[in-house]
Amino acid sequence: AQSVSQHNHHVILSEAASLELGCNYSYGGTVNLFWYVQYPGQHLQLLLKYFSGDPLVKGIKGFEAEFIKSKFSFNLRKPSVQWSDTAEYFCAVNAPNQGGKLIFGQGTELSVKP
Amino acid sequence: ETGVTQTPRHLVMGMTNKKSLKCEQHLGHNAMYWYKQSAKKPLELMFVYNFKEQTENNSVPSRFSPECPNSSHLFLHLHTLQPEDSALYLCASSALGGLVFVGTGELFFGEGSRLTVL
């Protein structure tokens, strides 16, 4: 069965610090990869996605993620975080031949101190 | 506004009550999902409906009963729940294509229904 693992449960950073959140998945076939973000009290929303092509994908609000197939990883990065980035971040994977369902990691809570 | 609306936003119920959660999507999608979000755990996929047909039941206890009358509406009927069922229940929708249910996995989520079982 597919699984998604996020290494950090809670990350605390100061503003302007750089961010990297780890994500690894276990699935040997073609996958689509996602990062979703959930701001406090809000719905889950898409941050960025990888389907094919350039393994370095850019998303909204200055976030980017790099797909490294050999490592089954899709880490999320941002060079300089802001207080408004405080949220929970979820990595997710979809195998296209299994319908539209997503398998999520357990989430990483990011707290940015002003 | 996400295009996916869930009601109620908050629900408190006793273990003997019967209640329902409702989800409506205005995006023209043909697949709908129920996920359960508990603290410190991955989002758990509960049910998947494609073109109104249930295509996945992820070993969910029978005290949760889904209903999908059309591609735009999804319900989760609740009865004789347990306190450990307290969680945020998320509805999502997506577009599918092809003869087999092929999807990209890009889901659009509602804001969730926060359920507390006393």
Side-chain angles (χ1 to χ4, degrees):
Chain A
Q2 297 176 57
S3 68
V4 180
S5 177
Q6 292 181 239
H7 315 301
N8 314 101
H9 295 293
H10 192 187
V11 173
I12 302 173
L13 296 173
S14 298
E15 277 194 314
S18 64
L19 170 72
E20 180 160 3
L21 302 181
C23 173
N24 287 91
Y25 64 93
S26 63
Y27 187 73
T30 301
V31 292
N32 298 327
L33 298 160
F34 303 81
W35 277 96
Y36 280 80
V37 60
Q38 189 173 33
Y39 297 103
Q42 296 189 27
H43 64 278
L44 272 164
Q45 54 188 289
L46 184 67
L47 198 56
L48 50 77
K49 61 189 177 186
Y50 172 81
F51 290 169
S52 64
D54 188 344
L56 184 62
V57 294
K58 296 191 182 298
I60 60 172
K61 303 185 181 186
F63 286 90
E64 65 180 31
E66 185 175 12
F67 170 50
I68 302 178
K69 189 174 182 179
S70 61
K71 294 184 178 180
F72 297 89
S73 70
F74 190 57
N75 292 354
L76 180 70
R77 300 194 293 247
K78 185 171 184 178
S80 176
V81 295
Q82 301 173 310
W83 175 79
S84 58
D85 293 324
T86 295
E88 191 153 15
Y89 293 81
F90 295 90
C91 182
V93 62
N94 161 258
N97 62 354
Q98 295 188 19
K101 66 180 183 181
L102 276 181
I103 306 300
F104 283 86
Q106 69 268 42
T108 297
E109 185 180 349
L110 173 65
S111 300
V112 180
K113 296 183 175 181
Chain B
E1 178 58 48
T2 71
V4 180
T5 304
Q6 289 187 242
T7 55
R9 294 291 309 280
H10 299 274
L11 178 62
V12 179
M13 58 187 290
M15 289 190 286
T16 58
N17 292 158
K18 289 185 179 181
K19 297 286 184 183
S20 296
L21 306 181
K22 179 183 176 183
C23 177
E24 183 175 0
Q25 59 97 359
H26 312 278
L27 301 169
H29 290 160
N30 42 35
M32 297 187 77
Y33 311 79
W34 280 115
Y35 279 87
K36 176 183 179 182
Q37 185 177 18
S38 305
K40 308 304 180 188
K41 294 175 67 176
L43 272 75
E44 301 171 50
L45 179 64
M46 300 175 70
F47 300 105
V48 181
Y49 277 82
N50 296 320
F51 297 94
K52 302 188 300 178
E53 299 297 322
Q54 186 181 130
T55 56
E56 183 138 356
N57 176 336
N58 208 22
S59 302
V60 180
S62 60
R63 56 185 184 269
F64 294 91
S65 174
E67 179 190 359
C68 189
N70 55 61
S71 293
S72 298
H73 293 85
L74 184 65
F75 295 89
L76 188 62
H77 303 300
L78 316 169
H79 61 99
T80 61
L81 295 191
Q82 304 298 311
E84 59 264 29
D85 296 322
S86 298
L88 182 67
Y89 289 85
L90 296 171
C91 174
S93 70
S94 72
L96 294 179
L99 295 176
V100 182
F101 300 126
V102 177
T104 65
E106 183 171 355
L107 303 186
F108 292 78
F109 286 87
E111 295 185 339
S113 293
R114 173 73 61 187
L115 173 66
T116 302
V117 182
L118 301 176

